């Protein structure tokens, strides 16, 4: 928390010309497509989802940007940027559908991914940001995308999406720079907003639960005209809740108006917006290892554990976030060959953070505390323009995608760091923080990226070859107002991916792929040379079973992922870093999602992650922090359709998270053990739900339900970032939900 949180991205000389070229191409393609679409005015086809047990092509049943008929989605665009069946995608992709979210009622995106393999949610019970690790890799700013465009964060400024506003949440595991540019090698989280429908939708939802939860949501959609050319959707949420920790609250007000223009079945222009105000974003602190992982001992030698609602900060701690996003998604199919698409969004994010937080255990039940206050104004502009061609060359069918995307981010930070008074854990005396400021942090961060990419999905007989390449120009700069100094890093990078699938008639598809990523690295060597981007390289093999005629999705994958040019301490001078570090992660991931029959839904997953520092000055041979070796989950729900219990759904799930590790630091009593590892114990959680469909009472689509997370109220430490930063997991949460459709 006290460290500077900034990413570095760069562009070489001549970047202005290339940026201008990229913007020109973007504007030309987008404008041409727009007017081409406007020239046709035939009546639109209505958006409908047809569920059938026949062997009709699945592409007619599901869109990668729309709802899925069951919990087992069949299509996604996250892994290819085209509407592609998952069985033909040569990389691991998981999809959490709207139906699955409606069953489990997650509060956050990271909670929505709680049953997804390869994904570990960090920061425990804190809901402030959706911090996640994928395949053993964490990042300073989360790798999250909304409607194909990155939710670029910086420092403490992070966009947070409410799951109620989303149609689906997807995870692409492994390097993904060939599609998205600079990114963490672990993977990306891709979200799809709810879109307008021509079928009438009128939904109002009410929630009440533990920690004084009160929530109201609404979701309205319909065609505006008889022909279905114009349609709208209006989704909103208002929520108030106490955080698990004392003195902390969560409040959210969000509304997402959207509007679609579909003059024919080949043209779709959808205006998308989201306005969200979080005046209280919740608890964003941490606790020491002593009192959580192990007991602490007071001055009398008596052992204690901290309660799970303990707050090491002050009542005045607060994070607020006000985010505004406006953009559109446009697609036009000229003919059977050519289609153009463009996604554009402007984001404005105002963040204010003020916190006293723990920073080391001193012994005898006392901790040191630090202080941060930061006001940030972030603005981000993104546009991604694509041209897609479907054609054949002999016996080979091609889907070729070419595109250019551009991102520009500006974050104005006015911050101060300092110290605060110590706190006695056994007898905390709040209200006397004694803040002392010693480090002003007034900077202007800028990031810019232009990417040119091309991809070919070639099908011959039952073979599918996916090959893509991308060239990125990235720039990051920092202007420090206190010293009137500036620094800039320019990077250029080519990345590529290749994958091969074989598709059997029964829906089984073995595959193999290679993929790359790059991530700019801030700073310079002792000699003043700017750091090169770190590189991620992955080999992955797997098998998928996703039949066309049944709602089943089974996947298995093995992989080896290496990130090189990782920063590590300079052996000759520990005050500086060198890029000789390397992290290797390899593992196995299994996932099953199935609507077994009209009554039963089942999801299951298993993750084995063998991650370690293969080259590092201080950590060589050790596991990275917050990376469990084993994770597993199982969920099943049963819906009665006959007898007196007709309309009743009961469900339960189990989540297992294996032991993880972390490191001692030079803070407090453990200074002599700096860089040594310590373990965080495993834990198992049980969830449950009961839901009743009110259709038999003349309210089709309406329901009442009860969701319980951590049913047994297990007390557990979710993870530790360092010995001064451990996180209690969530206590038992009971939430009653009433959803009415009319």
């Amino acid at each position: 928390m006290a460290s500077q949180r900034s990413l570095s991205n760069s562009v070489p000389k001549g970047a202005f010309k290339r940026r201008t070229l990229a913007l020109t191409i973007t504007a030309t393609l987008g404008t041409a497509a727009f007017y081409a679409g406007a020239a046709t005015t035939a009546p639109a086809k209505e958006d409908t989802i047809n569920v059938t047990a026949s062997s009709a092509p699945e592409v007619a049943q599901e869109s990668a940007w729309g709802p899925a008929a069951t919990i087992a989605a069949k299509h996604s665009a996250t892994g290819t940027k085209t509407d592609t069946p998952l069985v033909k995608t040569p990389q691991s992709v998981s999809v959490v559908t709207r139906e699955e979210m409606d069953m489990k009622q997650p509060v956050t995106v990271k909670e929505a991914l709680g049953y997804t393999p390869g994904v570990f949610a960090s920061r425990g019970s804190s809901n402030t940001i959706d911090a996640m690790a994928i395949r053993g890799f964490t990042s300073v700013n989360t790798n999250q995308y909304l409607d194909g465009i990155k939710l670029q964060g910086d420092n403490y400024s992070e966009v947070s999406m409410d799951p109620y506003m989303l149609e689906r949440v997807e995870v692409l595991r492994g390097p993904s720079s060939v599609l998205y540019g600079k990114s963490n090698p672990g993977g990306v989280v891709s979200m799809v907003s709810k879109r307008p429908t021509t079928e009438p939708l009128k939904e109002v939802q009410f929630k009440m639960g533990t920690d004084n939860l009160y929530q109201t949501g609404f979701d309205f959609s319909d065609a505006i005209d008889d022909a279905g050319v114009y349609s709208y959707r209006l989704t909103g949420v208002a929520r108030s809740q106490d955080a698990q920790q004392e003195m902390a609250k969560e409040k959210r007000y969000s509304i997402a108006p959207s509007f679609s223009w579909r003059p024919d079945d080949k043209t779709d222009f959808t205006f998308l917006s989201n306005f969200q105000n979080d005046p209280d974003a919740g608890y964003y602190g941490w606790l020491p290892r002593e009192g959580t992982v192990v007991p602490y001992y007071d001055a009398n030698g008596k052992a204690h554990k901290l309660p799970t609602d303990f707050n090491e900060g002050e009542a005045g701690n607060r994070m607020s976030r006000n985010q505004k996003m406006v953009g559109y998604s446009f697609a036009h199919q000229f003919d059977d060959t050519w289609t153009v698409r463009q996604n554009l969004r402007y984001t404005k994010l105002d963040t204010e953070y003020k916190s006293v937080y723990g920073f080391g255990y001193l012994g005898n039940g006392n901790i040191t505390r630090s202080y941060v206050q930061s006001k940030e104004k972030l603005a981000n502009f993104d546009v991604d323009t694509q041209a897609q061609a479907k054609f054949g060359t002999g016996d080979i069918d091609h889907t070729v995608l070419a595109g250019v995307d551009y991102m520009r981010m500006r974050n104005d930070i006015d911050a101060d760091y300092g110290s605060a008074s110590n706190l006695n854990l056994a007898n905390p005396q709040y209200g006397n923080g004694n803040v002392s400021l010693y480090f002003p942090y007034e900077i202007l961060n800028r990031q810019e990226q232009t990417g040119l990419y091309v991809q070919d999905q070639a099908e011959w007989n039952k073979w599918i070859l996916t090959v893509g390449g991308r060239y990125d120009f990235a720039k990051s700069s920092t202007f420090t107002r206190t010293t009137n100094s500036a620094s800039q890093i320019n990077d250029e990078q080519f990345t590529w991916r290749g994958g091969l699938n074989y598709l059997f008639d029964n829906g089984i598809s073995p595959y193999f792929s290679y993929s790359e990523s790059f991530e700019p690295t801030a700073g310079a060597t002792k000699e003043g040379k700017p750091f090169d981007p770190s590189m991620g390289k992955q080999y992955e093999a797997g098998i998928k079973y996703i039949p066309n005629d049944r709602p089943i999705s089974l996947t298995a994958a093995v992989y080896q992922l290496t990130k090189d040019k990782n920063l590590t301490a300079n052996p000759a001078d520990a005050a500086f870093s060198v890029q000789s570090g390397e992290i290797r992660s390899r593992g196995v991931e299994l996932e099953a999602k199935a609507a077994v029959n009209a009554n039963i839904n089942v999801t299951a997953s298993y993750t084995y992650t063998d991650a370690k520092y293969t080259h590092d000055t201080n950590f060589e041979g050790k596991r990275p922090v917050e990376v469990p070796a084993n994770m597993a989950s199982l969920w099943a729900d049963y819906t009665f359709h006959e007898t007196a219990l007709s309309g009743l759904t009961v469900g339960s799930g189990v989540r297992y998270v294996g032991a993880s590790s972390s490191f001692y630091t030079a803070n407090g009593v453990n200074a002599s053990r700096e860089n040594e590892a310590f373990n965080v114990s495993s834990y198992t959680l049980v969830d449950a739900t009961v839901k009743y469909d009110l259709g038999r009472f003349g309210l089709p689509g309406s329901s009442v339900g009860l969701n319980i997370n951590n049913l047994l109220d297990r007390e557990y430490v979710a993870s530790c970032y360092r010995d001064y930063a451990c996180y209690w997991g969530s206590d038992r949460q009971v939430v009653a939900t009433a959803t009415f459709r009319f």
Side-chain angles (χ1 to χ4, degrees):
M1 291 172 62
S3 61
Q4 300 177 11
R5 304 179 63 212
S6 59
L7 295 178
S8 175
N9 314 285
S10 48
V11 160
K13 296 179 180 179
F16 177 79
K17 292 182 179 179
R18 284 189 287 269
R19 188 181 75 193
T20 303
L21 176 62
L23 292 174
T24 301
I25 296 172
T26 297
T28 302
L29 289 176
T31 303
F34 184 88
Y35 283 106
T40 308
T41 57
K45 294 181 179 180
E46 292 188 350
D47 286 346
T48 58
I49 302 295
N50 298 317
V51 182
T52 177
S54 72
S55 58
E58 190 65 31
V59 70
Q61 300 180 8
E62 181 183 333
S63 165
W65 301 281
T70 68
I71 65 169
K74 301 295 185 76
H75 281 241
S76 171
T78 299
T80 59
K81 284 192 174 182
T82 65
D83 192 340
T84 302
L86 287 167
V87 74
K88 296 182 179 181
T89 304
Q91 208 165 328
S92 291
V93 179
S94 293
V95 181
V96 179
T97 65
R98 184 68 254 167
E99 179 177 333
E100 186 173 347
M101 286 188 279
D102 287 341
M103 180 62 67
K104 298 180 178 130
Q105 295 293 328
V107 176
T108 62
V109 170
K110 70 175 184 179
E111 189 176 315
L113 297 172
Y115 286 79
T116 302
V119 180
F120 175 74
S122 62
R123 300 199 74 95
S125 62
S126 173
N127 295 328
T128 304
I129 63 171
D130 291 301
M132 289 169 280
I134 304 175
R135 286 191 169 174
F137 289 89
T138 59
S139 61
V140 175
N141 297 109
T142 54
N143 269 6
Q144 295 195 44
Y145 289 75
L146 177 66
D147 301 319
I149 294 176
K150 188 173 185 178
L151 297 171
Q152 182 64 58
D154 182 72
N155 209 56
Y156 294 108
S157 297
E158 296 276 355
V159 171
S160 175
M161 295 301 302
D162 196 288
Y164 187 72
M165 322 299 281
L166 304 174
E167 190 64 61
R168 50 170 70 196
V169 180
E170 306 183 355
V171 178
L172 170 63
R173 288 180 284 274
S176 54
S177 288
V178 70
L179 295 174
Y180 301 107
K182 59 182 179 68
S183 61
N184 185 269
V188 302
V189 176
S190 179
M191 297 166 282
V192 177
S193 302
K194 289 179 175 178
R195 310 270 177 119
T197 69
T198 55
E199 291 292 325
L201 171 64
K202 298 178 181 178
E203 177 181 289
V204 177
Q205 187 179 85
F206 303 97
K207 287 186 178 184
M208 293 181 61
T210 49
D211 296 320
N212 293 314
L213 168 65
Y214 298 95
Q215 177 174 314
T216 300
F218 59 86
D219 192 8
F220 302 125
S221 187
D222 201 354
I224 299 176
D225 63 321
D226 294 338
V229 174
Y230 304 100
S231 55
Y232 78 95
R233 193 158 188 168
L234 183 65
T235 309
V237 165
R239 180 171 69 248
S240 176
Q241 185 178 17
D242 296 335
Q244 180 171 302
Q245 292 72 21
E246 292 183 336
M247 305 184 294
K249 296 184 178 296
E250 300 173 11
K251 291 183 180 179
R252 169 167 291 174
Y253 309 96
S254 181
I255 190 168
S258 58
F259 171 83
S260 284
W261 173 59
R262 302 184 182 100
D264 55 61
D265 60 356
K266 300 181 182 298
T267 306
D268 186 335
F269 175 88
T270 299
F271 168 82
L272 297 164
S273 65
N274 182 284
F275 304 92
Q276 181 173 298
N277 183 26
D278 297 341
D280 291 294
Y283 174 77
Y284 196 57
W286 47 41
L287 299 172
R289 169 183 175 269
E290 292 76 10
T292 54
V293 177
V294 297
Y296 74 88
Y297 295 88
D298 60 24
N300 300 318
K302 186 177 181 180
H304 301 269
K305 277 289 192 78
L306 293 171
T308 57
D309 63 354
F310 189 86
N311 191 332
E312 89 290 5
E314 294 287 337
N317 284 11
R318 178 172 173 264
M319 177 179 283
S320 64
R321 177 171 52 219
N322 193 331
Q323 62 190 46
K324 306 176 181 70
M325 295 184 288
V326 178
Y328 64 78
S329 176
F330 175 74
H332 177 71
Q333 182 180 348
F334 291 97
D335 49 36
D336 292 339
T337 301
W338 289 99
T339 301
V340 296
R341 290 185 293 270
Q342 186 176 74
N343 298 316
L344 180 147
R345 184 169 65 238
Y346 175 77
T347 302
K348 190 174 186 300
L349 177 61
D350 294 330
T351 304
E352 185 172 352
Y353 181 44
K354 179 180 178 182
S355 179
V356 173
Y357 58 95
F359 206 61
Y361 183 69
L362 290 174
N364 296 329
N366 294 296
I367 61 170
T368 61
R369 296 193 297 176
S370 296
Y371 176 79
V372 59
Q373 59 181 23
S374 184
K375 293 183 179 180
E376 305 180 14
K377 297 183 180 297
L378 183 147
N380 196 65
F381 173 77
D382 294 86
V383 61
D384 183 10
T385 304
Q386 308 161 13
Q388 176 181 302
K390 290 189 174 184
F391 58 91
T393 55
D395 296 331
I396 304 175
D397 295 325
H398 297 269
T399 300
V400 176
L401 180 74
V404 53
D405 59 31
Y406 174 74
M407 180 276 292
R408 184 170 185 171
M409 187 276 298
R410 181 184 190 275
N411 191 24
D412 195 343
I413 303 171
D414 183 5
D416 292 281
Y417 292 91
S419 61
S421 59
N422 297 343
L423 187 73
N424 184 273
L425 300 177
N427 184 28
Q429 300 296 312
Y430 298 110
N432 187 28
N434 291 328
V435 171
S436 177
L437 302 178
Y438 57 76
F439 182 67
Y441 189 61
E442 299 176 8
I443 66 170
L444 180 64
N445 282 336
R446 298 180 187 267
Q447 295 184 35
E448 200 168 356
Q449 175 181 276
T450 302
L452 305 172
Y453 57 91
V454 63
Q455 173 184 268
D456 186 13
Q457 297 166 269
E459 297 190 35
W460 175 74
N461 288 337
K462 301 180 186 298
W463 295 94
I464 301 110
L465 176 66
T466 303
V467 180
R470 176 182 173 114
Y471 205 90
D472 278 290
F473 311 96
K475 177 178 72 176
S476 70
S477 63
T478 298
F479 176 74
T480 304
R481 292 192 172 90
T482 51
T483 60
N484 199 33
S485 61
S487 63
Q488 181 171 303
I489 300 177
N490 299 302
D491 291 316
E492 293 185 17
Q493 191 64 54
F494 174 79
T495 53
W496 73 282
R497 176 184 69 174
L500 186 65
N501 296 65
Y502 185 84
L503 184 61
F504 291 93
D505 292 337
N506 59 2
I508 293 176
S509 176
Y511 70 92
F512 174 81
S513 66
Y514 170 81
S515 55
E516 294 181 343
S517 68
F518 83 102
E519 189 173 23
T521 304
T525 65
K526 184 178 181 180
E527 295 74 26
K529 180 185 176 183
F531 292 127
D532 296 325
S534 64
M535 297 293 298
K537 299 178 181 180
Q538 176 181 271
Y539 298 91
E540 179 178 325
I543 186 168
K544 304 182 181 186
Y545 175 59
I546 309 177
N548 281 335
D549 57 348
R550 286 186 285 176
I552 297 174
S553 176
L554 307 178
T555 62
V558 295
Y559 69 91
Q560 176 157 310
L561 171 57
T562 303
K563 179 186 178 185
D564 61 14
K565 297 184 180 180
N566 203 54
L567 292 186
T568 184
N570 188 332
D573 189 345
F576 295 88
S577 297
V578 293
Q579 282 193 288
S580 60
E582 181 183 272
I583 302 176
R584 189 265 296 143
S585 175
R586 59 189 179 197
V588 179
E589 294 164 345
L590 308 175
E591 182 177 44
K593 293 191 174 187
V596 180
N597 53 37
N599 305 90
I600 302 173
N601 289 323
V602 175
T603 68
S605 72
Y606 171 73
T607 304
Y608 170 72
T609 308
D610 176 17
K612 68 178 182 179
Y613 290 91
T614 46
H615 300 291
D616 196 274
T617 304
N618 297 319
F619 304 124
E620 187 161 331
K622 300 175 182 177
R623 293 181 63 83
V625 301
E626 300 181 299
V627 181
N630 294 278
M631 294 190 294
S633 68
L634 175 64
W635 173 277
D637 57 73
Y638 187 93
T639 301
F640 295 88
H641 294 295
E642 289 117 11
T643 74
L645 298 176
S646 178
L648 178 66
T649 299
V650 293
S652 184
V654 180
R655 292 174 285 150
Y656 169 78
V657 178
S660 60
S661 63
S662 189
F663 301 114
Y664 294 104
T665 63
N667 298 316
V669 297
N670 298 309
S672 62
R673 306 177 69 181
E674 184 180 7
N675 298 328
E676 291 183 18
F678 66 88
N679 290 327
V680 180
S681 298
S682 63
Y683 52 91
T684 301
L685 306 175
V686 179
D687 307 319
T689 187
V690 179
K691 187 176 180 181
Y692 190 76
D693 190 338
L694 300 176
R696 61 167 24 191
F697 297 102
L699 296 170
S702 302
S703 64
V704 293
L706 188 71
N707 289 82
I708 307 175
N709 290 341
N710 191 6
L711 176 67
L712 305 179
D713 203 18
R714 171 73 184 272
E715 184 179 288
Y716 65 100
V717 178
S719 65
C720 293
Y721 172 68
R722 289 292 189 270
D723 60 344
Y724 59 80
C726 296
Y727 312 103
W728 282 121
S730 297
D731 295 337
R732 178 167 55 215
Q733 299 169 308
V734 182
V735 178
T737 303
T739 304
F740 301 99
R741 290 193 173 184
F742 50 92

